Amino acid sequence: MMQNARLLVVEDEADLLKNLYRGLTEGGFVVSRAASAESAEKAIAEQSFDVIVLDLRLPGRSGIDLLCQLRAAGNATPVLVLTARSSLDYRVIGLDSGADDYLIKPFAFAELTARLRALIRRGVNPPQSILRVADLEFDTVRRRAARRGLEIGLSPKEAILLELLMRNAGQPVTRDMIAEVVWGSGYNDFTNLIEVFVNRLRQKLNDGSGDSLIITIRGVGYSMRVM
């Protein structure tokens, strides 16, 4: 179903652009490349794409400038922002500027392709800013969670972990994926950080019923329960 989906990857790091091109092409995508906002704009004018993978930090005009221009012109092509800028402010700016999804470098390639497939399935429908699983809601823009109307206080990393689990509700999320998405290159595999954060998140989501929304998949990782 995803074969021959057309992607435009806008990235100025030559090695990363090369690796993305090779990996995505091998995955069955038809990939065009651009190393600047100007070259991306030209490519978009010449053909349509199913998804645009966009780095924010580009030489000359920024990725945000390009994104704002596309949305102002009525171009609704799904955009996945791929960037090393991991702060909440940049994430909010990217989403408020019209991005459909946001992935922080370094990233798990499997997660990138999964997110691209989700965007292609979604097509040009408006991005889903509110995630819902059972009676739990998460606002991906304001980074706020609530269960049965009661707000749940989350740290920035807990919010990232919760979003990852909710976006993959009913599916296994591996420890490696959690490590790369939440901690990136700063994660030490010899610590119990993942267990600590998952247990802390479990406690915060607990509504007193005894049924945890987060289940452990032995030897694999975790999953968000779909009730």
Side-chain angles (χ1 to χ4, degrees):
M1 181 173 61
M2 299 297 167
Q3 294 294 317
N4 300 321
R6 295 162 298 177
L7 306 183
L8 174 63
V9 180
V10 189
E11 170 61 60
D12 68 320
E13 289 185 43
D15 288 342
L16 178 56
L17 183 58
K18 180 180 178 181
N19 290 336
L20 286 171
Y21 177 81
R22 182 174 63 249
L24 292 171
T25 300
E26 291 174 354
F29 297 100
V30 177
V31 185
S32 297
R33 293 172 283 184
S36 68
E38 291 77 12
S39 56
E41 186 177 10
K42 180 179 179 182
I44 293 167
E46 293 175 348
Q47 63 176 302
S48 61
F49 296 96
D50 294 297
V51 180
I52 298 171
V53 180
L54 178 64
D55 185 20
L56 292 186
R57 192 170 186 175
L58 297 170
R61 290 170 53 210
S62 70
I64 289 293
D65 289 340
L66 175 61
L67 179 56
C68 290
Q69 179 183 344
L70 290 175
R71 296 308 188 225
N75 188 318
T77 304
V79 173
L80 184 148
V81 167
L82 185 63
T83 181
R85 295 177 169 180
S86 60
S87 73
L88 174 60
D89 289 344
Y90 279 117
R91 187 158 52 243
V92 171
I93 290 171
L95 292 169
D96 282 348
S97 298
D100 298 83
D101 204 352
Y102 200 109
L103 188 57
I104 298 169
K105 303 174 186 175
F107 55 89
F109 195 81
E111 184 185 8
L112 171 62
T113 55
R115 287 176 180 254
L116 289 174
R117 289 193 296 268
L119 288 176
I120 292 168
R121 286 194 298 268
R122 190 186 309 168
V124 297
N125 294 327
Q128 183 182 14
S129 61
I130 305 296
L131 302 178
R132 294 181 176 88
V133 175
D135 54 5
L136 175 66
E137 293 187 354
F138 181 68
D139 187 324
T140 62
V141 175
R142 294 177 176 82
R143 316 303 292 168
R144 293 176 182 172
R147 190 169 189 188
R148 296 178 182 173
L150 298 177
E151 187 166 340
I152 302 167
L154 299 174
S155 70
K157 290 191 182 302
E158 288 170 347
I160 296 172
L161 174 59
L162 178 60
E163 181 177 357
L164 176 64
L165 290 168
M166 291 185 73
R167 286 191 182 277
N168 294 276
Q171 303 295 323
V173 177
T174 67
R175 287 173 51 88
D176 286 344
M177 183 181 291
I178 293 173
E180 291 195 42
V181 172
V182 180
W183 285 277
S185 60
Y187 176 71
N188 183 344
D189 192 43
F190 296 100
T191 71
N192 64 344
L193 272 178
I194 290 178
E195 287 79 4
V196 169
F197 270 77
V198 169
N199 287 334
R200 186 181 301 166
L201 186 58
R202 272 198 184 112
Q203 293 173 5
K204 290 187 175 183
L205 298 180
N206 185 11
D207 63 352
S209 66
D211 294 326
S212 175
L213 283 176
I214 303 175
I215 60 176
T216 300
I217 304 176
R218 191 175 300 276
V220 178
Y222 306 90
S223 179
M224 177 69 71
R225 186 196 304 269
V226 179
M227 295 180 175

Short mmCIF file of all heavy atoms in Angstrom, two decimals, residues 127-192:
data_model
loop_
_atom_site.label_atom_id
_atom_site.label_comp_id
_atom_site.label_asym_id
_atom_site.label_seq_id
_atom_site.Cartn_x
_atom_site.Cartn_y
_atom_site.Cartn_z
N PRO A 127 -4.06 17.63 10.94
CA PRO A 127 -3.31 16.86 11.91
C PRO A 127 -4.08 16.68 13.21
O PRO A 127 -4.84 17.56 13.61
CB PRO A 127 -2.03 17.70 12.13
CG PRO A 127 -2.41 19.08 11.73
CD PRO A 127 -3.41 18.92 10.62
N GLN A 128 -3.89 15.54 13.85
CA GLN A 128 -4.56 15.25 15.10
C GLN A 128 -3.73 15.79 16.25
O GLN A 128 -2.68 15.24 16.59
CB GLN A 128 -4.76 13.74 15.24
CG GLN A 128 -5.52 13.32 16.48
CD GLN A 128 -5.63 11.82 16.59
OE1 GLN A 128 -4.94 11.09 15.90
NE2 GLN A 128 -6.49 11.36 17.46
N SER A 129 -4.18 16.87 16.84
CA SER A 129 -3.42 17.48 17.93
C SER A 129 -3.80 16.89 19.28
O SER A 129 -3.05 17.03 20.24
CB SER A 129 -3.62 18.99 17.95
OG SER A 129 -4.98 19.32 18.16
N ILE A 130 -4.97 16.26 19.37
CA ILE A 130 -5.41 15.63 20.61
C ILE A 130 -5.42 14.11 20.43
O ILE A 130 -6.15 13.59 19.60
CB ILE A 130 -6.82 16.10 21.03
CG1 ILE A 130 -6.89 17.62 21.14
CG2 ILE A 130 -7.21 15.45 22.36
CD1 ILE A 130 -6.01 18.21 22.21
N LEU A 131 -4.59 13.42 21.19
CA LEU A 131 -4.56 11.96 21.16
C LEU A 131 -5.48 11.44 22.26
O LEU A 131 -5.51 11.97 23.37
CB LEU A 131 -3.15 11.44 21.38
CG LEU A 131 -2.07 11.91 20.39
CD1 LEU A 131 -0.71 11.35 20.79
CD2 LEU A 131 -2.43 11.52 18.97
N ARG A 132 -6.23 10.39 21.96
CA ARG A 132 -7.15 9.81 22.95
C ARG A 132 -6.99 8.29 22.99
O ARG A 132 -7.03 7.64 21.96
CB ARG A 132 -8.59 10.17 22.60
CG ARG A 132 -8.90 11.65 22.73
CD ARG A 132 -10.36 11.95 22.41
NE ARG A 132 -10.67 13.36 22.61
CZ ARG A 132 -10.51 14.29 21.68
NH1 ARG A 132 -10.05 13.95 20.48
NH2 ARG A 132 -10.81 15.55 21.94
N VAL A 133 -6.83 7.77 24.18
CA VAL A 133 -6.82 6.33 24.42
C VAL A 133 -7.67 6.10 25.67
O VAL A 133 -7.36 6.64 26.74
CB VAL A 133 -5.40 5.78 24.64
CG1 VAL A 133 -5.45 4.31 25.01
CG2 VAL A 133 -4.54 5.99 23.40
N ALA A 134 -8.75 5.34 25.52
CA ALA A 134 -9.71 5.14 26.61
C ALA A 134 -10.17 6.51 27.11
O ALA A 134 -10.59 7.34 26.32
CB ALA A 134 -9.08 4.30 27.71
N ASP A 135 -10.03 6.77 28.42
CA ASP A 135 -10.47 8.06 28.96
C ASP A 135 -9.29 9.02 29.17
O ASP A 135 -9.39 10.01 29.88
CB ASP A 135 -11.21 7.87 30.28
CG ASP A 135 -10.41 7.07 31.30
OD1 ASP A 135 -9.23 6.74 31.01
OD2 ASP A 135 -10.95 6.74 32.37
N LEU A 136 -8.16 8.71 28.52
CA LEU A 136 -6.96 9.54 28.62
C LEU A 136 -6.82 10.41 27.37
O LEU A 136 -6.99 9.94 26.25
CB LEU A 136 -5.73 8.64 28.76
CG LEU A 136 -4.36 9.33 28.75
CD1 LEU A 136 -4.19 10.21 29.99
CD2 LEU A 136 -3.25 8.28 28.67
N GLU A 137 -6.54 11.69 27.57
CA GLU A 137 -6.33 12.61 26.47
C GLU A 137 -4.96 13.27 26.61
O GLU A 137 -4.50 13.54 27.73
CB GLU A 137 -7.40 13.70 26.44
CG GLU A 137 -8.79 13.20 26.12
CD GLU A 137 -9.78 14.34 25.93
OE1 GLU A 137 -9.39 15.51 26.16
OE2 GLU A 137 -10.94 14.07 25.55
N PHE A 138 -4.31 13.52 25.47
CA PHE A 138 -3.02 14.21 25.48
C PHE A 138 -3.00 15.25 24.37
O PHE A 138 -3.22 14.92 23.20
CB PHE A 138 -1.86 13.22 25.30
CG PHE A 138 -0.51 13.88 25.32
CD1 PHE A 138 -0.02 14.45 26.49
CD2 PHE A 138 0.27 13.93 24.18
CE1 PHE A 138 1.22 15.06 26.52
CE2 PHE A 138 1.51 14.53 24.19
CZ PHE A 138 1.99 15.11 25.37
N ASP A 139 -2.77 16.50 24.74
CA ASP A 139 -2.66 17.60 23.79
C ASP A 139 -1.21 17.68 23.34
O ASP A 139 -0.32 18.06 24.12
CB ASP A 139 -3.09 18.91 24.46
CG ASP A 139 -3.16 20.08 23.49
OD1 ASP A 139 -2.33 20.14 22.56
OD2 ASP A 139 -4.05 20.94 23.65
N THR A 140 -0.94 17.32 22.07
CA THR A 140 0.44 17.24 21.58
C THR A 140 1.07 18.60 21.37
O THR A 140 2.29 18.71 21.26
CB THR A 140 0.50 16.45 20.26
OG1 THR A 140 -0.28 17.14 19.26
CG2 THR A 140 -0.04 15.04 20.45
N VAL A 141 0.25 19.64 21.30
CA VAL A 141 0.79 20.99 21.13
C VAL A 141 1.12 21.62 22.48
O VAL A 141 2.23 22.11 22.70
CB VAL A 141 -0.20 21.88 20.35
CG1 VAL A 141 0.33 23.32 20.27
CG2 VAL A 141 -0.42 21.34 18.95
N ARG A 142 0.17 21.58 23.38
CA ARG A 142 0.39 22.19 24.71
C ARG A 142 1.09 21.26 25.68
O ARG A 142 1.44 21.66 26.77
CB ARG A 142 -0.96 22.65 25.29
CG ARG A 142 -1.58 23.79 24.48
CD ARG A 142 -2.96 24.17 25.02
NE ARG A 142 -3.50 25.30 24.29
CZ ARG A 142 -4.11 25.22 23.13
NH1 ARG A 142 -4.27 24.03 22.55
NH2 ARG A 142 -4.58 26.29 22.52
N ARG A 143 1.26 19.99 25.27
CA ARG A 143 1.95 18.98 26.08
C ARG A 143 1.25 18.78 27.41
O ARG A 143 1.87 18.68 28.46
CB ARG A 143 3.42 19.38 26.32
CG ARG A 143 4.15 19.90 25.11
CD ARG A 143 4.13 18.92 23.98
NE ARG A 143 4.90 17.71 24.25
CZ ARG A 143 4.84 16.62 23.49
NH1 ARG A 143 4.03 16.57 22.46
NH2 ARG A 143 5.58 15.56 23.79
N ARG A 144 -0.07 18.68 27.38
CA ARG A 144 -0.86 18.48 28.59
C ARG A 144 -1.67 17.20 28.48
O ARG A 144 -2.24 16.90 27.43
CB ARG A 144 -1.80 19.67 28.82
CG ARG A 144 -1.08 20.98 29.14
CD ARG A 144 -2.06 22.11 29.26
NE ARG A 144 -1.38 23.38 29.53
CZ ARG A 144 -1.99 24.56 29.53
NH1 ARG A 144 -3.29 24.64 29.25
NH2 ARG A 144 -1.31 25.66 29.77
N ALA A 145 -1.71 16.46 29.60
CA ALA A 145 -2.48 15.22 29.65
C ALA A 145 -3.58 15.35 30.68
O ALA A 145 -3.45 16.07 31.68
CB ALA A 145 -1.56 14.05 30.00
N ALA A 146 -4.68 14.65 30.42
CA ALA A 146 -5.79 14.65 31.37
C ALA A 146 -6.50 13.31 31.28
O ALA A 146 -6.62 12.71 30.21
CB ALA A 146 -6.76 15.79 31.08
N ARG A 147 -6.97 12.85 32.45
CA ARG A 147 -7.77 11.62 32.48
C ARG A 147 -9.06 11.91 33.22
O ARG A 147 -9.07 12.37 34.35
CB ARG A 147 -6.99 10.49 33.17
CG ARG A 147 -7.68 9.14 33.00
CD ARG A 147 -6.82 7.97 33.44
NE ARG A 147 -7.47 6.71 33.05
CZ ARG A 147 -7.05 5.51 33.43
NH1 ARG A 147 -5.96 5.41 34.18
NH2 ARG A 147 -7.69 4.43 33.03
N ARG A 148 -10.16 11.65 32.53
CA ARG A 148 -11.49 11.96 33.05
C ARG A 148 -11.59 13.42 33.47
O ARG A 148 -12.22 13.75 34.49
CB ARG A 148 -11.84 11.03 34.21
CG ARG A 148 -11.94 9.57 33.79
CD ARG A 148 -12.22 8.65 34.94
NE ARG A 148 -12.26 7.26 34.51
CZ ARG A 148 -12.35 6.22 35.32
NH1 ARG A 148 -12.43 6.41 36.63
NH2 ARG A 148 -12.38 5.00 34.84
N GLY A 149 -10.95 14.28 32.68
CA GLY A 149 -11.03 15.71 32.92
C GLY A 149 -10.05 16.25 33.93
O GLY A 149 -9.94 17.47 34.11
N LEU A 150 -9.32 15.37 34.61
CA LEU A 150 -8.36 15.81 35.62
C LEU A 150 -6.97 15.87 35.01
O LEU A 150 -6.47 14.87 34.48
CB LEU A 150 -8.36 14.84 36.81
CG LEU A 150 -9.69 14.72 37.58
CD1 LEU A 150 -9.56 13.68 38.69
CD2 LEU A 150 -10.09 16.08 38.16
N GLU A 151 -6.35 17.06 35.07
CA GLU A 151 -5.04 17.23 34.44
C GLU A 151 -3.97 16.46 35.20
O GLU A 151 -3.98 16.36 36.43
CB GLU A 151 -4.67 18.71 34.38
CG GLU A 151 -3.41 18.98 33.59
CD GLU A 151 -3.22 20.45 33.24
OE1 GLU A 151 -4.22 21.20 33.27
OE2 GLU A 151 -2.07 20.83 32.94
N ILE A 152 -3.02 15.91 34.45
CA ILE A 152 -1.92 15.12 34.99
C ILE A 152 -0.62 15.88 34.74
O ILE A 152 -0.28 16.17 33.60
CB ILE A 152 -1.85 13.74 34.33
CG1 ILE A 152 -3.17 12.98 34.53
CG2 ILE A 152 -0.68 12.93 34.88
CD1 ILE A 152 -3.30 11.74 33.65
N GLY A 153 0.10 16.19 35.79
CA GLY A 153 1.36 16.90 35.65
C GLY A 153 2.45 15.98 35.12
O GLY A 153 2.69 14.91 35.69
N LEU A 154 3.10 16.39 34.03
CA LEU A 154 4.14 15.58 33.42
C LEU A 154 5.41 16.39 33.23
O LEU A 154 5.36 17.58 32.91
CB LEU A 154 3.68 15.07 32.05
CG LEU A 154 2.44 14.18 31.99
CD1 LEU A 154 2.07 13.92 30.53
CD2 LEU A 154 2.66 12.88 32.73
N SER A 155 6.55 15.73 33.40
CA SER A 155 7.82 16.34 33.03
C SER A 155 7.95 16.28 31.51
O SER A 155 7.22 15.53 30.85
CB SER A 155 8.98 15.58 33.68
OG SER A 155 9.13 14.30 33.08
N PRO A 156 8.85 17.07 30.91
CA PRO A 156 9.01 17.03 29.45
C PRO A 156 9.27 15.63 28.91
O PRO A 156 8.70 15.23 27.89
CB PRO A 156 10.19 17.96 29.20
CG PRO A 156 10.11 18.95 30.33
CD PRO A 156 9.67 18.14 31.51
N LYS A 157 10.13 14.85 29.57
CA LYS A 157 10.44 13.50 29.08
C LYS A 157 9.27 12.55 29.30
O LYS A 157 9.02 11.66 28.47
CB LYS A 157 11.71 12.96 29.75
CG LYS A 157 12.98 13.66 29.29
CD LYS A 157 14.21 12.94 29.76
CE LYS A 157 15.48 13.66 29.35
NZ LYS A 157 15.60 13.85 27.90
N GLU A 158 8.53 12.72 30.37
CA GLU A 158 7.33 11.91 30.57
C GLU A 158 6.30 12.19 29.48
O GLU A 158 5.62 11.28 29.00
CB GLU A 158 6.73 12.18 31.94
CG GLU A 158 7.55 11.61 33.09
CD GLU A 158 7.08 12.10 34.45
OE1 GLU A 158 6.28 13.06 34.49
OE2 GLU A 158 7.51 11.52 35.46
N ALA A 159 6.20 13.45 29.07
CA ALA A 159 5.26 13.82 28.00
C ALA A 159 5.67 13.16 26.68
O ALA A 159 4.81 12.68 25.93
CB ALA A 159 5.20 15.34 27.86
N ILE A 160 6.97 13.14 26.39
CA ILE A 160 7.46 12.49 25.17
C ILE A 160 7.16 11.00 25.21
O ILE A 160 6.70 10.41 24.22
CB ILE A 160 8.97 12.74 24.99
CG1 ILE A 160 9.25 14.23 24.79
CG2 ILE A 160 9.51 11.94 23.80
CD1 ILE A 160 10.72 14.58 24.80
N LEU A 161 7.40 10.38 26.36
CA LEU A 161 7.13 8.95 26.52
C LEU A 161 5.64 8.65 26.35
O LEU A 161 5.26 7.70 25.66
CB LEU A 161 7.63 8.48 27.89
CG LEU A 161 7.30 7.04 28.29
CD1 LEU A 161 7.89 6.05 27.29
CD2 LEU A 161 7.81 6.75 29.70
N LEU A 162 4.80 9.46 26.96
CA LEU A 162 3.36 9.26 26.86
C LEU A 162 2.89 9.39 25.42
O LEU A 162 2.10 8.57 24.92
CB LEU A 162 2.61 10.25 27.75
CG LEU A 162 1.08 10.16 27.69
CD1 LEU A 162 0.61 8.78 28.13
CD2 LEU A 162 0.45 11.26 28.54
N GLU A 163 3.38 10.41 24.71
CA GLU A 163 2.98 10.58 23.31
C GLU A 163 3.40 9.38 22.47
O GLU A 163 2.63 8.90 21.63
CB GLU A 163 3.59 11.86 22.73
CG GLU A 163 3.18 12.09 21.28
CD GLU A 163 3.72 13.39 20.70
OE1 GLU A 163 4.37 14.16 21.45
OE2 GLU A 163 3.49 13.63 19.50
N LEU A 164 4.62 8.88 22.70
CA LEU A 164 5.10 7.73 21.95
C LEU A 164 4.19 6.52 22.17
O LEU A 164 3.81 5.82 21.23
CB LEU A 164 6.53 7.40 22.37
CG LEU A 164 7.16 6.15 21.75
CD1 LEU A 164 7.30 6.31 20.24
CD2 LEU A 164 8.53 5.87 22.38
N LEU A 165 3.81 6.28 23.42
CA LEU A 165 2.96 5.13 23.74
C LEU A 165 1.55 5.31 23.17
O LEU A 165 0.97 4.37 22.63
CB LEU A 165 2.89 4.95 25.26
CG LEU A 165 4.18 4.47 25.94
CD1 LEU A 165 4.07 4.60 27.45
CD2 LEU A 165 4.48 3.02 25.56
N MET A 166 1.02 6.52 23.25
CA MET A 166 -0.34 6.75 22.77
C MET A 166 -0.41 6.68 21.24
O MET A 166 -1.40 6.19 20.68
CB MET A 166 -0.86 8.10 23.27
CG MET A 166 -1.11 8.14 24.76
SD MET A 166 -1.85 9.69 25.34
CE MET A 166 -3.55 9.51 24.72
N ARG A 167 0.61 7.16 20.56
CA ARG A 167 0.62 7.10 19.09
C ARG A 167 0.72 5.64 18.61
O ARG A 167 0.37 5.33 17.48
CB ARG A 167 1.76 7.93 18.52
CG ARG A 167 1.53 9.43 18.59
CD ARG A 167 2.56 10.18 17.78
NE ARG A 167 2.39 11.61 17.86
CZ ARG A 167 1.52 12.32 17.12
NH1 ARG A 167 0.76 11.70 16.24
NH2 ARG A 167 1.42 13.62 17.26
N ASN A 168 1.23 4.78 19.47
CA ASN A 168 1.38 3.37 19.11
C ASN A 168 0.48 2.49 19.97
O ASN A 168 0.80 1.34 20.24
CB ASN A 168 2.84 2.94 19.26
CG ASN A 168 3.75 3.63 18.28
OD1 ASN A 168 3.90 3.20 17.14
ND2 ASN A 168 4.37 4.72 18.71
N ALA A 169 -0.66 3.04 20.41
CA ALA A 169 -1.57 2.31 21.30
C ALA A 169 -1.96 0.96 20.69
O ALA A 169 -2.29 0.87 19.51
CB ALA A 169 -2.80 3.14 21.57
N GLY A 170 -1.88 -0.07 21.52
CA GLY A 170 -2.20 -1.41 21.07
C GLY A 170 -1.06 -2.13 20.38
O GLY A 170 -1.17 -3.32 20.06
N GLN A 171 0.06 -1.43 20.17
CA GLN A 171 1.23 -2.00 19.51
C GLN A 171 2.42 -1.99 20.47
O GLN A 171 2.53 -1.10 21.32
CB GLN A 171 1.59 -1.21 18.25
CG GLN A 171 0.46 -1.13 17.24
CD GLN A 171 0.10 -2.49 16.66
OE1 GLN A 171 0.99 -3.31 16.44
NE2 GLN A 171 -1.18 -2.71 16.42
N PRO A 172 3.34 -2.93 20.34
CA PRO A 172 4.51 -2.93 21.22
C PRO A 172 5.46 -1.78 20.90
O PRO A 172 5.69 -1.45 19.74
CB PRO A 172 5.18 -4.28 20.92
CG PRO A 172 4.71 -4.65 19.55
CD PRO A 172 3.32 -4.09 19.43
N VAL A 173 5.96 -1.16 21.95
CA VAL A 173 6.98 -0.10 21.83
C VAL A 173 8.23 -0.64 22.51
O VAL A 173 8.22 -0.89 23.72
CB VAL A 173 6.52 1.21 22.49
CG1 VAL A 173 7.63 2.26 22.42
CG2 VAL A 173 5.25 1.73 21.82
N THR A 174 9.29 -0.84 21.74
CA THR A 174 10.48 -1.49 22.28
C THR A 174 11.27 -0.55 23.19
O THR A 174 11.15 0.68 23.11
CB THR A 174 11.39 -1.98 21.16
OG1 THR A 174 11.92 -0.84 20.46
CG2 THR A 174 10.64 -2.86 20.19
N ARG A 175 12.11 -1.15 24.01
CA ARG A 175 12.99 -0.37 24.87
C ARG A 175 13.92 0.50 24.03
O ARG A 175 14.21 1.64 24.39
CB ARG A 175 13.80 -1.30 25.78
CG ARG A 175 13.01 -1.95 26.89
CD ARG A 175 13.87 -2.98 27.63
NE ARG A 175 15.15 -2.40 28.03
CZ ARG A 175 15.37 -1.77 29.17
NH1 ARG A 175 14.39 -1.65 30.04
NH2 ARG A 175 16.56 -1.29 29.46
N ASP A 176 14.43 -0.06 22.93
CA ASP A 176 15.33 0.72 22.07
C ASP A 176 14.64 1.94 21.50
O ASP A 176 15.23 3.03 21.42
CB ASP A 176 15.86 -0.15 20.92
CG ASP A 176 16.89 -1.17 21.38
OD1 ASP A 176 17.43 -0.99 22.50
OD2 ASP A 176 17.16 -2.12 20.64
N MET A 177 13.38 1.78 21.10
CA MET A 177 12.64 2.92 20.55
C MET A 177 12.44 3.98 21.63
O MET A 177 12.63 5.18 21.39
CB MET A 177 11.29 2.47 20.00
CG MET A 177 10.50 3.59 19.35
SD MET A 177 8.88 3.07 18.70
CE MET A 177 9.43 2.04 17.33
N ILE A 178 12.07 3.55 22.84
CA ILE A 178 11.90 4.50 23.94
C ILE A 178 13.20 5.22 24.23
O ILE A 178 13.23 6.45 24.41
CB ILE A 178 11.39 3.77 25.20
CG1 ILE A 178 9.96 3.26 24.97
CG2 ILE A 178 11.42 4.70 26.41
CD1 ILE A 178 9.44 2.39 26.10
N ALA A 179 14.31 4.47 24.27
CA ALA A 179 15.61 5.06 24.58
C ALA A 179 15.97 6.14 23.57
O ALA A 179 16.39 7.25 23.94
CB ALA A 179 16.69 3.98 24.60
N GLU A 180 15.80 5.85 22.28
CA GLU A 180 16.20 6.80 21.24
C GLU A 180 15.28 8.00 21.18
O GLU A 180 15.72 9.13 20.98
CB GLU A 180 16.25 6.10 19.89
CG GLU A 180 17.37 5.08 19.79
CD GLU A 180 17.64 4.66 18.35
OE1 GLU A 180 17.64 5.54 17.48
OE2 GLU A 180 17.84 3.47 18.12
N VAL A 181 13.96 7.78 21.36
CA VAL A 181 13.01 8.88 21.26
C VAL A 181 13.09 9.79 22.47
O VAL A 181 13.09 11.02 22.35
CB VAL A 181 11.58 8.33 21.08
CG1 VAL A 181 10.56 9.46 21.17
CG2 VAL A 181 11.46 7.62 19.75
N VAL A 182 13.17 9.22 23.67
CA VAL A 182 13.12 10.02 24.89
C VAL A 182 14.47 10.59 25.28
O VAL A 182 14.58 11.73 25.70
CB VAL A 182 12.54 9.18 26.05
CG1 VAL A 182 12.48 10.01 27.34
CG2 VAL A 182 11.13 8.70 25.69
N TRP A 183 15.54 9.78 25.12
CA TRP A 183 16.85 10.23 25.57
C TRP A 183 17.86 10.47 24.45
O TRP A 183 18.84 11.16 24.65
CB TRP A 183 17.44 9.22 26.57
CG TRP A 183 16.80 9.30 27.90
CD1 TRP A 183 17.10 10.18 28.90
CD2 TRP A 183 15.72 8.49 28.39
NE1 TRP A 183 16.28 9.96 29.98
CE2 TRP A 183 15.42 8.93 29.69
CE3 TRP A 183 14.99 7.45 27.84
CZ2 TRP A 183 14.41 8.37 30.46
CZ3 TRP A 183 13.98 6.87 28.60
CH2 TRP A 183 13.70 7.32 29.89
N GLY A 184 17.65 9.88 23.28
CA GLY A 184 18.60 10.07 22.20
C GLY A 184 19.95 9.49 22.57
O GLY A 184 20.08 8.49 23.26
N SER A 185 21.00 10.19 22.15
CA SER A 185 22.37 9.70 22.37
C SER A 185 22.78 9.80 23.83
O SER A 185 23.81 9.29 24.23
CB SER A 185 23.36 10.48 21.50
OG SER A 185 23.30 11.86 21.81
N GLY A 186 21.98 10.48 24.66
CA GLY A 186 22.34 10.64 26.07
C GLY A 186 21.90 9.48 26.94
O GLY A 186 22.13 9.48 28.14
N TYR A 187 21.28 8.47 26.33
CA TYR A 187 20.80 7.34 27.13
C TYR A 187 21.91 6.34 27.41
O TYR A 187 22.65 5.94 26.52
CB TYR A 187 19.65 6.64 26.41
CG TYR A 187 19.15 5.42 27.14
CD1 TYR A 187 18.43 5.55 28.31
CD2 TYR A 187 19.43 4.15 26.66
CE1 TYR A 187 17.97 4.43 28.99
CE2 TYR A 187 18.98 3.02 27.33
CZ TYR A 187 18.25 3.17 28.50
OH TYR A 187 17.81 2.07 29.16
N ASN A 188 22.02 5.90 28.66
CA ASN A 188 23.01 4.91 29.08
C ASN A 188 22.29 3.58 29.27
O ASN A 188 21.45 3.43 30.15
CB ASN A 188 23.68 5.35 30.39
CG ASN A 188 24.76 4.38 30.83
OD1 ASN A 188 24.83 3.26 30.36
ND2 ASN A 188 25.60 4.82 31.75
N ASP A 189 22.63 2.61 28.45
CA ASP A 189 21.93 1.34 28.45
C ASP A 189 22.10 0.57 29.76
O ASP A 189 21.37 -0.38 30.02
CB ASP A 189 22.42 0.47 27.28
CG ASP A 189 21.54 -0.73 27.04
OD1 ASP A 189 20.31 -0.57 27.09
OD2 ASP A 189 22.07 -1.83 26.85
N PHE A 190 23.04 0.98 30.58
CA PHE A 190 23.27 0.25 31.81
C PHE A 190 22.50 0.83 32.99
O PHE A 190 22.69 0.43 34.13
CB PHE A 190 24.78 0.24 32.13
CG PHE A 190 25.60 -0.49 31.10
CD1 PHE A 190 26.29 0.21 30.13
CD2 PHE A 190 25.64 -1.88 31.09
CE1 PHE A 190 27.04 -0.46 29.17
CE2 PHE A 190 26.39 -2.56 30.13
CZ PHE A 190 27.08 -1.84 29.17
N THR A 191 21.63 1.76 32.75
CA THR A 191 20.82 2.33 33.82
C THR A 191 19.41 1.77 33.73
O THR A 191 19.04 1.13 32.76
CB THR A 191 20.77 3.86 33.72
OG1 THR A 191 19.95 4.23 32.60
CG2 THR A 191 22.15 4.46 33.56
N ASN A 192 18.61 2.04 34.77
CA ASN A 192 17.22 1.58 34.76
C ASN A 192 16.27 2.75 34.51
O ASN A 192 15.14 2.76 34.98
CB ASN A 192 16.87 0.90 36.08
CG ASN A 192 16.95 1.86 37.27
OD1 ASN A 192 17.54 2.95 37.16
ND2 ASN A 192 16.36 1.48 38.38
#
